Structures are given as C-alpha cells and as structure tokens.
Amino acid sequence: MLILASTSPYRRELLQRLRLPFECARPDVDEAPLRAESPAQLVRRLSLAKADAVAGRHPEAWVIGSDQVADLDGRILGKPGGRDAAVAQLTEMGGRSVRFHTAVCLRRGAHALVAVDLTQVRFRALAAAEIERYVDAEQPFDCAGSFKCEGLGISLFDAIESHDPTALVGLPLIALAGLLREAGYAVP
C-alpha cells in the first residue's frame, strides 16, 4: 500500500504520472517554522512530519510526505492566501532570484528515506500591470511564490535552474522514483 500524505491536487496529479496505485491522506501537521530554522531545515522536517503523521495511522503502508518552501534571501515566503499578498510577493520577487526547497520522504515504520531538491527561479523585471493580470488570471493563492510554473506563471521568469522539473510544482518525481525503487517498487 502506498499513501500520499497530502491533499494537494498538484502533488496528486504528479504522483499519478508514476502509474502506481496510491491513496491520499491528510497529514494534519503544523507547518509553522521553528525559531532560527533555515528553509532547508524546515522543508526536510515538514516532509518527515507529514509522512510520520500518516504512517502512524497506517503502519503497513509506505507513506510519501513532501513539502516546499520558497526562500528569498534566506527569508521564508509562505503561500499568499489572497490576491493582495500574491501581488506583493510577485512585486518583491520581480528581477530577483528565489530558491525553492522541495523535500520528499518515503516512510514505513522506522525506515525513512529522504531527498531534497533545490530549484532556483530567476524572475524577470515585472511591471505592476503584468503582475495584476497574472494574479487575476491564475489566482495562485495556494502556491508558494504566488505562481504556477506549469501554467501562465512560466511567463514571469528569465530562467529556472533545477535537477528535477517536477520539484517546482511540489513533488520531485526523479528523487521519489529513486526512493520508491530503493523501497522495492518497480518504477517504471
């Protein structure tokens, strides 16, 4: 049994690409950063915590926990939650580079495998009207960084530097496929 410890439609859609049967379960984890916790530490801790929360209810299953944190000059950017916050985030990121830390954990019982991907996104200079058109068109209020790179958000960038293009969407499939093979799954 394979369980994705997430209710994110983005992660569910990504995991479906691997063509493995799985279920989804809500992890119910407090995602607030700890004091002095770096973005890399936070994302690793949250991926483990999400997997742990669901694995405790399903000890026989392999559980996938994942999390992503946007990092602007070492400062964690949360999900905007609404239009004004999304416009403010994109305004601040215009013409700058933002790092996205994405961690994935595969856990069953005491056995945990973890991988972390780092993606750097270089935003082009963005005019206020462009930002507003984009935010109104895609409403990326539940996305770290206030964009959807798999949609119109790609037009906001000069470049994306990553080892895994799926990591920026929220689940690093290259790393996860390796973890699943290590756990005994036949992928592909």
Side-chain angles (χ1 to χ4, degrees), residues 61-85:
W62 282 101
V63 178
I64 301 165
S66 186
D67 199 72
Q68 182 179 74
V69 171
D71 162 6
L72 180 61
D73 299 329
R75 184 172 49 87
I76 295 169
L77 300 176
K79 296 175 184 175
R83 185 183 191 280
D84 290 345

PDB file of all heavy atoms in Angstrom, residues 61-85:
ATOM      1  N   ALA A  61       1.861   0.580   5.502  1.00  0.00           N
ATOM      2  CA  ALA A  61       1.980   1.266   4.218  1.00  0.00           C
ATOM      3  C   ALA A  61       3.299   2.023   4.094  1.00  0.00           C
ATOM      4  O   ALA A  61       3.905   2.418   5.079  1.00  0.00           O
ATOM      5  CB  ALA A  61       0.819   2.249   4.057  1.00  0.00           C
ATOM      6  N   TRP A  62       3.705   2.223   2.854  1.00  0.00           N
ATOM      7  CA  TRP A  62       4.748   3.192   2.546  1.00  0.00           C
ATOM      8  C   TRP A  62       4.039   4.528   2.392  1.00  0.00           C
ATOM      9  O   TRP A  62       3.034   4.624   1.681  1.00  0.00           O
ATOM     10  CB  TRP A  62       5.483   2.831   1.258  1.00  0.00           C
ATOM     11  CG  TRP A  62       6.484   1.750   1.419  1.00  0.00           C
ATOM     12  CD1 TRP A  62       6.347   0.436   1.086  1.00  0.00           C
ATOM     13  CD2 TRP A  62       7.800   1.886   1.966  1.00  0.00           C
ATOM     14  NE1 TRP A  62       7.492  -0.248   1.390  1.00  0.00           N
ATOM     15  CE2 TRP A  62       8.400   0.621   1.929  1.00  0.00           C
ATOM     16  CE3 TRP A  62       8.530   2.958   2.486  1.00  0.00           C
ATOM     17  CZ2 TRP A  62       9.695   0.384   2.388  1.00  0.00           C
ATOM     18  CZ3 TRP A  62       9.815   2.726   2.937  1.00  0.00           C
ATOM     19  CH2 TRP A  62      10.389   1.459   2.893  1.00  0.00           C
ATOM     20  N   VAL A  63       4.530   5.543   3.061  1.00  0.00           N
ATOM     21  CA  VAL A  63       3.883   6.860   3.056  1.00  0.00           C
ATOM     22  C   VAL A  63       4.845   7.890   2.474  1.00  0.00           C
ATOM     23  O   VAL A  63       6.023   7.941   2.851  1.00  0.00           O
ATOM     24  CB  VAL A  63       3.459   7.265   4.483  1.00  0.00           C
ATOM     25  CG1 VAL A  63       2.821   8.652   4.470  1.00  0.00           C
ATOM     26  CG2 VAL A  63       2.486   6.239   5.065  1.00  0.00           C
ATOM     27  N   ILE A  64       4.309   8.723   1.585  1.00  0.00           N
ATOM     28  CA  ILE A  64       5.079   9.795   0.960  1.00  0.00           C
ATOM     29  C   ILE A  64       4.684  11.115   1.612  1.00  0.00           C
ATOM     30  O   ILE A  64       3.507  11.491   1.596  1.00  0.00           O
ATOM     31  CB  ILE A  64       4.781   9.886  -0.548  1.00  0.00           C
ATOM     32  CG1 ILE A  64       5.125   8.572  -1.241  1.00  0.00           C
ATOM     33  CG2 ILE A  64       5.532  11.069  -1.175  1.00  0.00           C
ATOM     34  CD1 ILE A  64       4.542   8.451  -2.641  1.00  0.00           C
ATOM     35  N   GLY A  65       5.653  11.802   2.183  1.00  0.00           N
ATOM     36  CA  GLY A  65       5.449  13.147   2.707  1.00  0.00           C
ATOM     37  C   GLY A  65       6.294  14.108   1.893  1.00  0.00           C
ATOM     38  O   GLY A  65       7.429  13.776   1.531  1.00  0.00           O
ATOM     39  N   SER A  66       5.760  15.268   1.601  1.00  0.00           N
ATOM     40  CA  SER A  66       6.517  16.237   0.813  1.00  0.00           C
ATOM     41  C   SER A  66       6.151  17.639   1.254  1.00  0.00           C
ATOM     42  O   SER A  66       5.041  17.890   1.728  1.00  0.00           O
ATOM     43  CB  SER A  66       6.214  16.060  -0.680  1.00  0.00           C
ATOM     44  OG  SER A  66       7.042  16.903  -1.461  1.00  0.00           O
ATOM     45  N   ASP A  67       7.100  18.544   1.096  1.00  0.00           N
ATOM     46  CA  ASP A  67       6.832  19.937   1.405  1.00  0.00           C
ATOM     47  C   ASP A  67       7.752  20.806   0.559  1.00  0.00           C
ATOM     48  O   ASP A  67       8.794  20.351   0.079  1.00  0.00           O
ATOM     49  CB  ASP A  67       7.049  20.244   2.885  1.00  0.00           C
ATOM     50  CG  ASP A  67       6.354  21.525   3.285  1.00  0.00           C
ATOM     51  OD1 ASP A  67       5.113  21.521   3.358  1.00  0.00           O
ATOM     52  OD2 ASP A  67       7.045  22.534   3.503  1.00  0.00           O
ATOM     53  N   GLN A  68       7.326  22.067   0.383  1.00  0.00           N
ATOM     54  CA  GLN A  68       8.109  23.018  -0.393  1.00  0.00           C
ATOM     55  C   GLN A  68       8.128  24.357   0.329  1.00  0.00           C
ATOM     56  O   GLN A  68       7.119  24.784   0.886  1.00  0.00           O
ATOM     57  CB  GLN A  68       7.512  23.202  -1.781  1.00  0.00           C
ATOM     58  CG  GLN A  68       8.314  24.140  -2.656  1.00  0.00           C
ATOM     59  CD  GLN A  68       7.700  24.269  -4.029  1.00  0.00           C
ATOM     60  OE1 GLN A  68       6.683  24.911  -4.185  1.00  0.00           O
ATOM     61  NE2 GLN A  68       8.323  23.620  -4.997  1.00  0.00           N
ATOM     62  N   VAL A  69       9.289  25.004   0.295  1.00  0.00           N
ATOM     63  CA  VAL A  69       9.455  26.311   0.910  1.00  0.00           C
ATOM     64  C   VAL A  69      10.156  27.228  -0.090  1.00  0.00           C
ATOM     65  O   VAL A  69      11.176  26.853  -0.668  1.00  0.00           O
ATOM     66  CB  VAL A  69      10.281  26.217   2.218  1.00  0.00           C
ATOM     67  CG1 VAL A  69      10.631  27.586   2.745  1.00  0.00           C
ATOM     68  CG2 VAL A  69       9.524  25.423   3.264  1.00  0.00           C
ATOM     69  N   ALA A  70       9.595  28.410  -0.273  1.00  0.00           N
ATOM     70  CA  ALA A  70      10.229  29.437  -1.096  1.00  0.00           C
ATOM     71  C   ALA A  70      11.120  30.284  -0.196  1.00  0.00           C
ATOM     72  O   ALA A  70      10.740  30.622   0.928  1.00  0.00           O
ATOM     73  CB  ALA A  70       9.165  30.303  -1.763  1.00  0.00           C
ATOM     74  N   ASP A  71      12.283  30.639  -0.712  1.00  0.00           N
ATOM     75  CA  ASP A  71      13.325  31.309   0.065  1.00  0.00           C
ATOM     76  C   ASP A  71      13.834  32.514  -0.728  1.00  0.00           C
ATOM     77  O   ASP A  71      14.440  32.353  -1.775  1.00  0.00           O
ATOM     78  CB  ASP A  71      14.407  30.262   0.316  1.00  0.00           C
ATOM     79  CG  ASP A  71      15.769  30.784   0.720  1.00  0.00           C
ATOM     80  OD1 ASP A  71      15.948  31.988   0.942  1.00  0.00           O
ATOM     81  OD2 ASP A  71      16.682  29.950   0.814  1.00  0.00           O
ATOM     82  N   LEU A  72      13.545  33.704  -0.232  1.00  0.00           N
ATOM     83  CA  LEU A  72      14.049  34.928  -0.843  1.00  0.00           C
ATOM     84  C   LEU A  72      15.093  35.519   0.092  1.00  0.00           C
ATOM     85  O   LEU A  72      14.754  36.000   1.173  1.00  0.00           O
ATOM     86  CB  LEU A  72      12.901  35.925  -1.074  1.00  0.00           C
ATOM     87  CG  LEU A  72      13.292  37.257  -1.721  1.00  0.00           C
ATOM     88  CD1 LEU A  72      13.905  37.041  -3.107  1.00  0.00           C
ATOM     89  CD2 LEU A  72      12.082  38.170  -1.811  1.00  0.00           C
ATOM     90  N   ASP A  73      16.357  35.404  -0.300  1.00  0.00           N
ATOM     91  CA  ASP A  73      17.475  35.905   0.516  1.00  0.00           C
ATOM     92  C   ASP A  73      17.463  35.317   1.922  1.00  0.00           C
ATOM     93  O   ASP A  73      17.751  36.002   2.907  1.00  0.00           O
ATOM     94  CB  ASP A  73      17.456  37.434   0.593  1.00  0.00           C
ATOM     95  CG  ASP A  73      17.603  38.082  -0.775  1.00  0.00           C
ATOM     96  OD1 ASP A  73      18.278  37.492  -1.649  1.00  0.00           O
ATOM     97  OD2 ASP A  73      17.043  39.184  -0.975  1.00  0.00           O
ATOM     98  N   GLY A  74      17.096  34.026   2.049  1.00  0.00           N
ATOM     99  CA  GLY A  74      17.083  33.352   3.339  1.00  0.00           C
ATOM    100  C   GLY A  74      15.795  33.528   4.117  1.00  0.00           C
ATOM    101  O   GLY A  74      15.615  32.917   5.165  1.00  0.00           O
ATOM    102  N   ARG A  75      14.880  34.346   3.618  1.00  0.00           N
ATOM    103  CA  ARG A  75      13.600  34.579   4.287  1.00  0.00           C
ATOM    104  C   ARG A  75      12.533  33.694   3.652  1.00  0.00           C
ATOM    105  O   ARG A  75      12.389  33.641   2.429  1.00  0.00           O
ATOM    106  CB  ARG A  75      13.207  36.052   4.153  1.00  0.00           C
ATOM    107  CG  ARG A  75      11.941  36.423   4.897  1.00  0.00           C
ATOM    108  CD  ARG A  75      11.703  37.922   4.887  1.00  0.00           C
ATOM    109  NE  ARG A  75      11.817  38.554   3.585  1.00  0.00           N
ATOM    110  CZ  ARG A  75      10.813  38.654   2.708  1.00  0.00           C
ATOM    111  NH1 ARG A  75       9.635  38.166   2.982  1.00  0.00           N
ATOM    112  NH2 ARG A  75      11.026  39.264   1.557  1.00  0.00           N
ATOM    113  N   ILE A  76      11.797  32.982   4.480  1.00  0.00           N
ATOM    114  CA  ILE A  76      10.769  32.068   4.009  1.00  0.00           C
ATOM    115  C   ILE A  76       9.554  32.852   3.540  1.00  0.00           C
ATOM    116  O   ILE A  76       9.047  33.722   4.247  1.00  0.00           O
ATOM    117  CB  ILE A  76      10.374  31.077   5.127  1.00  0.00           C
ATOM    118  CG1 ILE A  76      11.564  30.191   5.470  1.00  0.00           C
ATOM    119  CG2 ILE A  76       9.159  30.257   4.733  1.00  0.00           C
ATOM    120  CD1 ILE A  76      11.382  29.360   6.719  1.00  0.00           C
ATOM    121  N   LEU A  77       9.102  32.529   2.315  1.00  0.00           N
ATOM    122  CA  LEU A  77       7.881  33.113   1.773  1.00  0.00           C
ATOM    123  C   LEU A  77       6.778  32.064   1.872  1.00  0.00           C
ATOM    124  O   LEU A  77       6.917  30.969   1.349  1.00  0.00           O
ATOM    125  CB  LEU A  77       8.065  33.499   0.307  1.00  0.00           C
ATOM    126  CG  LEU A  77       9.158  34.511  -0.013  1.00  0.00           C
ATOM    127  CD1 LEU A  77       9.263  34.696  -1.516  1.00  0.00           C
ATOM    128  CD2 LEU A  77       8.865  35.837   0.662  1.00  0.00           C
ATOM    129  N   GLY A  78       5.701  32.398   2.503  1.00  0.00           N
ATOM    130  CA  GLY A  78       4.580  31.464   2.628  1.00  0.00           C
ATOM    131  C   GLY A  78       3.659  31.529   1.423  1.00  0.00           C
ATOM    132  O   GLY A  78       3.869  32.309   0.483  1.00  0.00           O
ATOM    133  N   LYS A  79       2.626  30.721   1.456  1.00  0.00           N
ATOM    134  CA  LYS A  79       1.588  30.787   0.428  1.00  0.00           C
ATOM    135  C   LYS A  79       0.830  32.095   0.647  1.00  0.00           C
ATOM    136  O   LYS A  79       0.534  32.461   1.781  1.00  0.00           O
ATOM    137  CB  LYS A  79       0.653  29.596   0.551  1.00  0.00           C
ATOM    138  CG  LYS A  79       1.348  28.277   0.288  1.00  0.00           C
ATOM    139  CD  LYS A  79       0.416  27.110   0.527  1.00  0.00           C
ATOM    140  CE  LYS A  79       1.179  25.806   0.347  1.00  0.00           C
ATOM    141  NZ  LYS A  79       0.356  24.650   0.686  1.00  0.00           N
ATOM    142  N   PRO A  80       0.499  32.802  -0.428  1.00  0.00           N
ATOM    143  CA  PRO A  80      -0.086  34.130  -0.246  1.00  0.00           C
ATOM    144  C   PRO A  80      -1.483  34.118   0.375  1.00  0.00           C
ATOM    145  O   PRO A  80      -1.809  35.012   1.152  1.00  0.00           O
ATOM    146  CB  PRO A  80      -0.101  34.714  -1.653  1.00  0.00           C
ATOM    147  CG  PRO A  80      -0.118  33.532  -2.556  1.00  0.00           C
ATOM    148  CD  PRO A  80       0.690  32.481  -1.839  1.00  0.00           C
ATOM    149  N   GLY A  81      -2.319  33.161   0.015  1.00  0.00           N
ATOM    150  CA  GLY A  81      -3.651  33.083   0.605  1.00  0.00           C
ATOM    151  C   GLY A  81      -4.673  34.021  -0.010  1.00  0.00           C
ATOM    152  O   GLY A  81      -5.868  33.806   0.147  1.00  0.00           O
ATOM    153  N   GLY A  82      -4.244  35.063  -0.714  1.00  0.00           N
ATOM    154  CA  GLY A  82      -5.182  36.001  -1.329  1.00  0.00           C
ATOM    155  C   GLY A  82      -4.488  36.888  -2.344  1.00  0.00           C
ATOM    156  O   GLY A  82      -3.265  36.877  -2.481  1.00  0.00           O
ATOM    157  N   ARG A  83      -5.296  37.678  -3.038  1.00  0.00           N
ATOM    158  CA  ARG A  83      -4.810  38.497  -4.145  1.00  0.00           C
ATOM    159  C   ARG A  83      -3.761  39.517  -3.711  1.00  0.00           C
ATOM    160  O   ARG A  83      -2.705  39.641  -4.333  1.00  0.00           O
ATOM    161  CB  ARG A  83      -5.975  39.208  -4.820  1.00  0.00           C
ATOM    162  CG  ARG A  83      -5.553  39.996  -6.056  1.00  0.00           C
ATOM    163  CD  ARG A  83      -6.737  40.763  -6.674  1.00  0.00           C
ATOM    164  NE  ARG A  83      -6.394  41.296  -7.970  1.00  0.00           N
ATOM    165  CZ  ARG A  83      -5.684  42.420  -8.168  1.00  0.00           C
ATOM    166  NH1 ARG A  83      -5.225  43.109  -7.123  1.00  0.00           N
ATOM    167  NH2 ARG A  83      -5.415  42.835  -9.389  1.00  0.00           N
ATOM    168  N   ASP A  84      -4.032  40.287  -2.681  1.00  0.00           N
ATOM    169  CA  ASP A  84      -3.108  41.350  -2.277  1.00  0.00           C
ATOM    170  C   ASP A  84      -1.740  40.795  -1.890  1.00  0.00           C
ATOM    171  O   ASP A  84      -0.699  41.346  -2.268  1.00  0.00           O
ATOM    172  CB  ASP A  84      -3.693  42.163  -1.119  1.00  0.00           C
ATOM    173  CG  ASP A  84      -4.885  43.009  -1.550  1.00  0.00           C
ATOM    174  OD1 ASP A  84      -5.088  43.200  -2.769  1.00  0.00           O
ATOM    175  OD2 ASP A  84      -5.617  43.473  -0.655  1.00  0.00           O
ATOM    176  N   ALA A  85      -1.736  39.692  -1.157  1.00  0.00           N
ATOM    177  CA  ALA A  85      -0.464  39.085  -0.747  1.00  0.00           C
ATOM    178  C   ALA A  85       0.281  38.512  -1.957  1.00  0.00           C
ATOM    179  O   ALA A  85       1.511  38.604  -2.024  1.00  0.00           O
ATOM    180  CB  ALA A  85      -0.703  38.003   0.301  1.00  0.00           C
TER     181      ALA A  85
END
